[in-house]
Amino acid sequence: MSEWIHAIEEWLLEFGSWGLFFVSFLESSFFPIPPDVLMIPMGIANPDKALWYAFITTAGSVLGALLGWYIGKKVGRPILRYFIKEEKIVLVERYFEKYGAMAILIAGFTPIPYKVFTIFSGISNVRIPTLIIWSIIGRGARFFLEAAIIVALGDKAMPFIEENFAMLTIVLGVVMIAGYLVYMYLKRSKKA
């Protein structure tokens, strides 16, 4: 299976920016290959375009989230069972029950595939503007962080990302969650 996925990655790299957009779009709704595996090598090969690649990846991912939302709205949970283990589905349900829209933000930084969250956003009737806004923030932060590392480290970015990206995303995720909580607090304060 991994040889098959690697062959698809190599084939998609031939399409450059369009292949990256395509993978980003499909990965947010049902495709198994994360866009990072294309964006990072493309960015290292062309560091001057790393931020552009992050933009393309973010745009494709956000538009793909809309397809995931639609899939969730129309066929929902049965389709998730085909791709994801039940315990991950239950975990995502808990995120949506507890955090609402913030679950979409958190999704950009978890090892749980993003498509699970986009499909759940349709199942949970998340408003489309909410999905778009929090997808832009969450996915954009992830991909632009990778691009910034590539710009800063060049060829050394790949080993750095492999060794440290999980910790960086956790830290950035905590900062973003704290920002969201401050936003919600200020919003409630204005109403009071």
Side-chain angles (χ1 to χ4, degrees):
M1 182 71 163
S2 64
E3 289 178 24
W4 180 76
I5 290 174
H6 184 68
I8 292 173
E9 291 169 11
E10 292 295 320
W11 177 70
L12 288 167
L13 277 171
E14 293 177 20
F15 292 95
S17 296
W18 285 109
L20 180 59
F21 180 86
F22 184 69
V23 166
S24 302
F25 177 83
L26 294 180
E27 186 272 338
S28 288
S29 50
F30 64 86
F31 198 59
I33 299 175
D36 312 64
V37 300
L38 296 179
M39 191 193 93
I40 293 169
M42 289 173 68
I44 290 171
N46 296 300
D48 294 342
K49 293 184 176 182
L51 294 173
W52 170 246
Y53 295 146
F55 172 78
I56 290 170
T57 307
T58 302
S61 185
V62 171
L63 291 173
L66 294 173
L67 177 59
W69 181 92
Y70 182 79
I71 290 169
K73 191 80 171 162
K74 294 298 177 187
V75 293
R77 194 178 187 104
I79 197 79
L80 279 179
R81 285 194 184 117
Y82 181 74
F83 293 107
I84 309 295
K85 293 179 181 176
E86 182 67 25
E87 64 263 12
K88 287 191 178 183
I89 293 172
V90 171
L91 179 63
V92 174
E93 277 182 321
R94 288 186 192 139
Y95 278 140
F96 268 94
E97 287 170 9
K98 188 171 183 180
Y99 301 110
M102 193 168 62
I104 298 165
L105 176 66
I106 294 168
F109 298 96
T110 66
I112 299 171
Y114 190 59
K115 66 189 104 327
V116 176
F117 287 86
T118 65
I119 292 170
F120 255 105
S121 69
I123 293 169
S124 303
N125 295 312
V126 170
R127 291 180 37 233
I128 289 177
T130 301
L131 174 66
I132 291 171
I133 290 167
W134 292 108
S135 291
I136 289 170
I137 294 169
R139 297 303 269 180
R142 177 187 180 98
F143 300 131
F144 277 94
L145 176 60
E146 290 173 342
I149 292 169
I150 291 167
V151 169
L153 300 179
D155 292 343
K156 296 175 184 167
M158 185 64 92
F160 180 83
I161 289 170
E162 288 173 350
E163 293 173 19
N164 301 298
F165 197 71
M167 181 55 72
L168 288 171
T169 57
I170 290 169
V171 169
L172 187 56
V174 168
V175 168
M176 292 178 80
I177 290 168
Y180 177 81
L181 294 174
V182 168
Y183 165 77
M184 293 305 292
Y185 174 77
L186 293 173
K187 188 176 175 181
R188 286 186 187 139
S189 296
K190 285 183 181 180
K191 290 180 180 179

